[in-house]
Each structure stands twice: as C-alpha cells, then as structure tokens.
Amino acid sequence: MMPNEKPQAHPTVLVVEDEPLLLMIVSETLRDADYTVWEASNAEIALNILKSESDIDLLISDVKMPGMNGYQLVDASLALRPGLKVVLMTGYAQEPIPKNIRDAGIQVLYKPFDFDKLPAVANQVLGQ
C-alpha cells in the first residue's frame, strides 16, 4: 500500500430477516467473508438504521415479513438512500416480482440457496 492510500474498508451490509435462525446464518456467512453486518428482525428496525448516519453499502432483505414486506422496504429504503444496492430473498418462486423491483435490477435469491455463495452475490451486486 502506498503511503497516501487508505486501506480498503470492509463493505457494510444490513440484513433484514424475521426468522432468527436465517438472520443468524446469513449474518455469520457475511461476517466470515469480512463484511460488517447490521441485523434487523423487521423492516421498521431496518428503516431506523437506514435513517441513521451509519454507512450501509448493501441491503439484503427477506420479502415475506410481518408488517412491512421486503418490497415495501426496498421502496422506503431507496427513498432514504437513492442508489442503495439491494438483494432480496424469497421462498416464493411462483410469486411474480413487482415491476419496480425488476426495473431497478434488484437481484432476487430464491430460498433455499447455498449460503456459501452469498458473499459472491454480495460482491457482484456491489461491483467488487
């Protein structure tokens, strides 16, 4: 590293999942890949984190959650942080993805997926 170069910061991911075991597995998988991870068990907690001054590079959210769902969370998140990168997770492959989500180029992972591939998906979405 050159004297004036800053070290590469680890990307920060906000993981939103209402199922505690899945939240833990996704978060730990990303931490093991040197991501900094914030966790939220619902959309309201996630929005409070996004309203803060915290650096968030990527939002990874479940679609089906009580209260505000993942699609609504994406809309609210992008209103707060235009350009935020997003990955959605869903177990409902037969359900159509809303047009605004498709048009935004948001990646959708269908459960069950190989958790070991999650860091590669995150890197791809972040352009790394």
Side-chain angles (χ1 to χ4, degrees):
M1 183 169 18
M2 301 299 291
N4 293 334
E5 282 185 52
K6 291 183 182 176
Q8 180 75 19
H10 297 292
T12 302
V13 180
L14 172 56
V15 178
V16 188
E17 171 62 64
D18 63 314
E19 175 57 46
L21 183 59
L22 278 176
L23 178 61
M24 183 190 73
I25 292 169
V26 169
S27 297
E28 287 305 312
T29 300
L30 292 166
R31 284 187 184 106
D32 288 347
D34 289 329
Y35 280 88
T36 301
V37 178
W38 287 80
E39 297 180 353
S41 58
N42 62 51
E44 290 76 19
I45 293 170
L47 287 174
N48 284 332
I49 293 169
L50 289 167
K51 288 176 185 173
S52 74
E53 296 295 315
S54 303
D55 286 335
I56 305 291
D57 301 301
L58 176 64
L59 170 67
I60 297 179
S61 177
D62 189 20
V63 171
K64 295 288 185 188
M65 297 183 287
M68 182 183 287
N69 69 36
Y71 300 133
Q72 294 165 323
L73 174 59
V74 168
D75 290 338
S77 299
L78 292 176
L80 287 170
R81 295 188 182 210
L84 179 66
K85 304 292 187 186
V86 178
V87 173
L88 289 172
M89 304 177 292
T90 183
Y92 299 91
Q94 72 280 6
E95 186 175 291
I97 304 299
K99 183 177 182 342
N100 66 315
I101 300 295
R102 285 191 327 263
D103 290 351
I106 292 171
Q107 179 144 356
V108 178
L109 294 176
Y110 293 96
K111 299 174 188 175
F113 56 85
D114 183 350
F115 291 107
D116 292 335
K117 293 185 178 164
L118 192 55
V121 171
N123 286 340
Q124 175 191 355
V125 171
L126 289 169
Q128 298 182 340

